[in-house]
Amino acid sequence: MDSDLENPPSLKNLIEQLKSYTNASNALISSFNVLLEKSDMEERFSEPMVMIGIYIAVASLFCILPPLADLVHGLRTKKFWFPNKYFTMNIASFSALGVATKLPVDLSSPMPGVVDQFTKLGNMAFMCAMMANLLPALASMSNKALIANIIGLGVIVITMVVNVCIEIKTGNVKKYCKFIAIIYVVVLLMVLVIHACTSLAILKCKQILELKYQAAHESALNEQELQQGRSTVEKLKKQVKKYWIMAETSHPQFLTACSVTSCASGVLSVISTLLHAWLMLIAVEYWMDFKSAYKWSMLVILITQFIGSLVGTIAPLCRSFATLSYKLSVKWMWKKMKQHHQTNENFSNYVLQLEDDTEIAEGTLKRISNSYDHWIKKAEKRQPKNLMKLLVESEGFGEVEKYYKIHQVRRLVLDEHEPLICWSLSLVTLASIAISLTNIQQNLVDRLMHGLKEGMVYVKLVEESLNPTDDHATIQKAAKTLLVDVEVFESWLGNKLQRRAPQGNTVRHILEWLMDTSKNMVNEVEITDDISRYKFICSNAMSCVTETILLDYHADIDQINQERLFETISSLIAGILAACLSNLPDVIELKSNSNAIEKRYASVYEAAQLLGETTLIINTLEDRELTRLNVVA
């Protein structure tokens, strides 16, 4: 009898037994058949649930990887408040969190097993850890994005809380799990309230910090005017360092991570994770007790999300300790830092804080200063060597000035409305002519192209920073597309550049072929879309450049060989690069002082990296005392 109770017969076997009884009614057998059909239907519908469980586990893994990357990034950069560089609030993270936390909002699937119940509860612990991890990311958003994301996060959390409360009432959450479920509901709501309060605080903090930043910015400009006898690089390093300190200390994420609300969310995250760990210890004894339609995938979800809870709690916990140490290390019964740094290199005036009556700890300022020096030295190891070799060949702007004067005369004589030529388009057009010369050794062409490729990275930055208009952006885009065509395929607008043409090609022949081809394209092309506009811009530039060179050589064109023309073009390219890159100090200053507070932190890092990489270039161009040209012809 006991054996029969432990292994009850299936519904199908019961129907067969009933049919064998002569006194069994047909109505009873029909009722059992209906139940059997319903059971079979439910089993078919539950078949995909295992794959859905795996889907939830994969989504959980995608939620874990960004916080893990932020942990590694924080350790590598020695930012132990762990800024949110990879794990931020956006559509992707919300979508992944929505899938990963599906179980608590699943009202239709019974989950009687111990593993099933613990996985449902672990979902809420996982959400607590992820929310605590996301808190500093609120500060990196614009005001509109901040409000929208808080509303979106609130919808996810409120939906989860309401559904869990319904399941507690209906008994879908078992009695032995109700108390823990209630704790998780309370913790989730508290973390949500913390996020909402932090968002309101961030809006006000940004206003205060912006006013202080502008005051420090004016001070930095005034101090820069007083600097005498320093090289451009020395001035830039000192100036960028001021903005580095301002960006670091006024970084909204830094202030949010070191706030009391961040500390509170870290504590709540630790509490939820400890409960999750306790559930995992109990689950070891019942690790095969999964009875829901998700089957064994529930165990996979439980383990994955427990790992996620651990990873997601590390950063909030470290931020809590950082907050305590930061608060304790602030100097009140002590002397001001100015008394410790009575030198011209005192940067404490550029430390921005919300409270005027406190001063940042000396160790914190030293860490920020050291991080800047380390970043500069790291960037200095990545000097563009090929570009430097090319710039060394340029001794001045003689050829460049002559080239642009001829071009200006041509524009006035032919058509005053002819499109302007920017640095990058002139460089790529000249490179196209150099590649078309047939008698030049390949290693010389390769050396020229390698230097040009490195230089175009900085030319693009100069043009984008100093000429941000739509017209120039269109020309720059055309130059970028043409560079790929020339460098990779050795062709110009679909015309193969004659690198392997017969030796009889003279300089006049090559230049006139390029000029005629480009003029024909200018006359034939109809600007209807981006491709036709790109062809018109590039062909117009080639027509201008080749005709300028022919006009320059004039009667001597037949006496010019390819080697001499290649040297002239190489000198022109080096000179144009030098003229363009002489604007790098202006670009660095612009990038170090970004207008948007949310982008200021990343922008000053980019300025410091650019300064480190181009130190030799700036020094080289400064030593020559070159006269700057305008960015466009």
Side-chain angles (χ1 to χ4, degrees):
M1 185 67 179
D2 292 339
S3 177
D4 293 338
L5 289 175
E6 291 176 2
N7 299 295
S10 65
L11 192 58
K12 187 174 182 180
N13 291 336
L14 285 175
I15 294 173
E16 293 298 327
Q17 289 182 18
L18 283 174
K19 287 181 179 180
S20 66
Y21 298 148
T22 55
N23 58 347
S25 65
N26 292 329
L28 183 60
I29 295 174
S30 298
S31 298
F32 272 96
N33 280 324
V34 171
L35 290 174
L36 179 62
E37 290 177 3
K38 186 178 180 181
S39 177
D40 290 341
M41 187 178 295
E42 289 178 352
E43 188 175 348
R44 287 197 301 272
F45 286 158
S46 65
E47 285 179 359
M49 299 303 286
V50 175
M51 295 307 300
I52 293 175
I54 297 299
Y55 181 48
I56 293 172
V58 172
S60 302
L61 184 62
F62 275 104
C63 291
I64 297 170
L65 293 178
L68 185 60
D70 284 333
L71 284 174
V72 175
H73 172 70
L75 292 172
R76 289 183 61 186
T77 56
K78 296 183 179 180
K79 290 182 173 62
F80 300 116
W81 51 277
F82 298 103
N84 289 80
K85 181 179 180 181
Y86 303 102
F87 194 38
T88 57
M89 286 189 181
N90 50 39
I91 296 176
S93 59
F94 277 169
S95 299
L97 279 173
V99 175
T101 56
K102 178 184 180 299
L103 294 178
V105 299
D106 188 355
L107 299 175
S108 59
S109 301
M111 300 183 182
V114 174
V115 172
D116 302 325
Q117 291 286 299
F118 287 179
T119 304
K120 184 186 287 286
L121 296 176
N123 245 219
M124 292 188 283
F126 179 77
M127 186 64 179
C128 288
M130 293 298 108
M131 288 177 65
N133 215 304
L134 276 172
L135 186 65
L138 296 172
S140 299
M141 305 174 191
S142 63
N143 293 347
K144 290 183 179 179
L146 176 61
I147 295 172
N149 280 290
I150 280 295
I151 293 173
L153 185 63
V155 170
I156 294 176
V157 174
I158 295 298
T159 303
M160 182 184 295
V161 167
V162 170
N163 281 270
V164 170
C165 291
I166 293 173
E167 292 181 272
I168 293 173
K169 183 69 175 178
T170 58
N172 204 5
V173 174
K174 301 302 179 181
K175 289 183 178 180
Y176 58 86
C177 291
K178 283 186 178 180
F179 181 69
I180 298 176
I182 292 171
I183 293 176
Y184 277 135
V185 166
V186 173
V187 171
L188 270 174
L189 289 175
M190 290 178 68
V191 174
L192 180 60
V193 170
I194 287 174
H195 276 66
C197 294
T198 303
S199 301
L200 296 175
I202 287 171
L203 297 177
K204 184 63 178 177
C205 289
K206 284 183 177 180
Q207 295 177 359
I208 298 173
L209 290 173
E210 186 61 30
L211 292 174
K212 294 191 174 184
Y213 179 87
Q214 294 303 330
H217 169 59
E218 291 296 328
S219 176
L221 291 180
N222 294 333
E223 187 174 335
Q224 186 182 25
E225 294 177 359
L226 299 176
Q227 294 182 23
Q228 299 293 334
R230 290 175 177 257
S231 68
T232 302
V233 170
E234 289 177 334
K235 292 178 183 178
L236 283 173
K237 284 185 176 181
K238 185 175 181 180
Q239 191 74 356
V240 174
K241 189 171 188 176
K242 295 173 185 175
Y243 288 106
W244 180 284
I245 293 172
M246 286 190 277
E248 280 270 11
T249 55
S250 67
H251 187 15
Q253 273 204 40
F254 173 73
L255 295 174
T256 303
C258 295
S259 65
V260 177
T261 54
S262 177
C263 187
S265 67
V267 172
L268 292 173
S269 176
V270 170
I271 292 173
S272 66
T273 302
L274 288 176
L275 281 175
H276 202 174
W278 181 57
L279 292 177
M280 287 295 294
L281 290 175
I282 300 174
V284 172
E285 186 178 352
Y286 303 94
W287 70 279
M288 290 296 291
D289 188 12
F290 38 80
K291 299 175 182 176
S292 68
Y294 293 95
K295 298 181 181 177
W296 54 267
S297 65
M298 294 295 276
L299 187 61
V300 179
I301 297 172
L302 179 62
I303 295 172
T304 304
Q305 293 195 346
F306 176 64
I307 295 172
S309 296
L310 293 176
V311 172
T313 304
I314 293 174
L317 183 61
C318 292
R319 288 171 191 148
S320 299
F321 282 117
T323 301
L324 293 174
S325 62
Y326 175 74
K327 298 297 182 183
L328 292 174
S329 62
V330 170
K331 295 186 176 181
W332 290 79
M333 291 96 48
W334 294 11
K335 294 182 179 180
K336 292 185 177 181
M337 285 181 57
K338 293 179 183 179
Q339 296 174 352
H340 293 277
H341 299 281
Q342 295 295 337
T343 65
N344 293 329
E345 300 299 323
N346 180 20
F347 294 96
S348 60
N349 292 331
Y350 299 97
V351 173
L352 305 183
Q353 294 191 106
L354 292 174
E355 297 89 0
D356 293 327
D357 58 347
T358 60
E359 291 194 15
I360 195 169
E362 183 178 359
T364 303
L365 182 58
K366 185 177 180 180
R367 179 192 61 79
I368 295 173
S369 179
N370 289 340
S371 67
Y372 171 77
D373 296 335
H374 173 73
W375 190 263
I376 289 289
K377 290 178 181 178
K378 185 178 179 181
E380 287 177 345
K381 296 178 181 179
R382 298 193 296 267
Q383 299 289 330
K385 297 179 181 179
N386 294 304
L387 174 60
M388 282 303 303
K389 291 178 181 178
L390 187 58
L391 290 177
V392 167
E393 299 175 0
S394 172
E395 297 182 356
F397 281 147
E399 288 291 334
V400 181
E401 290 175 331
K402 182 180 179 181
Y403 166 78
Y404 276 112
K405 283 178 181 178
I406 295 173
H407 173 51
Q408 289 284 15
V409 171
R410 179 184 180 279
R411 288 184 64 233
L412 293 173
V413 172
L414 296 179
D415 186 359
E416 62 180 3
H417 300 295
E418 189 179 57
L420 297 174
I421 297 181
C422 64
W423 295 122
S424 55
L425 189 56
S426 294
L427 289 167
V428 179
T429 304
L430 288 167
S432 303
I433 299 173
I435 290 178
S436 67
L437 301 176
T438 58
N439 296 341
I440 309 302
Q441 296 179 7
Q442 186 65 43
N443 65 320
L444 297 178
V445 177
D446 291 341
R447 187 177 68 172
L448 176 65
M449 292 306 297
H450 289 156
L452 178 61
K453 183 179 179 181
E454 289 183 354
M456 288 296 288
V457 175
Y458 304 108
V459 171
K460 179 184 176 183
L461 287 174
V462 171
E463 290 179 334
E464 289 179 348
S465 300
L466 303 184
N467 287 307
T469 62
D470 292 338
D471 291 339
H472 284 98
T474 302
I475 300 174
Q476 291 155 19
K477 185 177 180 181
K480 181 180 178 181
T481 307
L482 183 61
L483 178 62
V484 176
D485 198 22
V486 171
E487 183 183 15
V488 178
F489 304 104
E490 291 192 349
S491 64
W492 178 84
L493 297 183
N495 297 281
K496 190 69 177 178
L497 297 171
Q498 301 298 313
R499 285 286 300 130
R500 295 176 178 83
Q503 296 295 322
N505 285 350
T506 63
V507 167
R508 178 190 289 275
H509 177 272
I510 294 171
L511 291 174
E512 289 182 347
W513 172 74
L514 289 171
M515 182 180 67
D516 293 340
T517 303
S518 58
K519 282 187 175 181
N520 290 335
M521 294 184 73
V522 170
N523 295 328
E524 293 173 1
V525 69
E526 294 183 5
I527 302 178
T528 57
D529 52 18
D530 290 340
I531 297 177
S532 57
R533 184 177 291 104
Y534 149 69
K535 287 185 177 180
F536 176 79
I537 292 172
C538 295
S539 57
N540 188 80
M542 178 60 80
S543 172
C544 168
V545 171
T546 51
E547 191 166 353
T548 298
I549 295 174
L550 286 169
L551 183 62
D552 182 26
Y553 284 118
H554 195 49
D556 297 331
I557 189 66
D558 292 322
Q559 281 73 45
I560 303 299
N561 57 29
Q562 292 189 21
E563 288 76 10
R564 181 178 172 185
L565 180 59
F566 183 81
E567 291 177 1
T568 301
I569 291 175
S570 297
S571 179
L572 269 174
I573 290 175
I576 292 173
L577 281 171
C580 176
L581 299 184
S582 65
N583 294 284
L584 279 173
D586 294 334
V587 176
I588 292 170
E589 288 186 5
L590 284 173
K591 285 190 172 295
S592 64
N593 177 33
S594 176
N595 290 327
I597 189 172
E598 296 84 9
K599 299 179 180 178
R600 192 169 290 154
Y601 183 73
S603 183
V604 73
Y605 266 69
E606 188 177 351
Q609 180 172 333
L610 181 60
L611 173 58
E613 289 180 359
T614 59
T615 297
L616 290 178
I617 295 175
I618 296 173
N619 280 332
T620 300
L621 298 180
E622 184 185 22
D623 291 341
R624 297 176 184 174
E625 297 182 351
L626 300 178
T627 303
R628 293 187 182 182
L629 298 177
N630 291 329
V631 176
V632 294

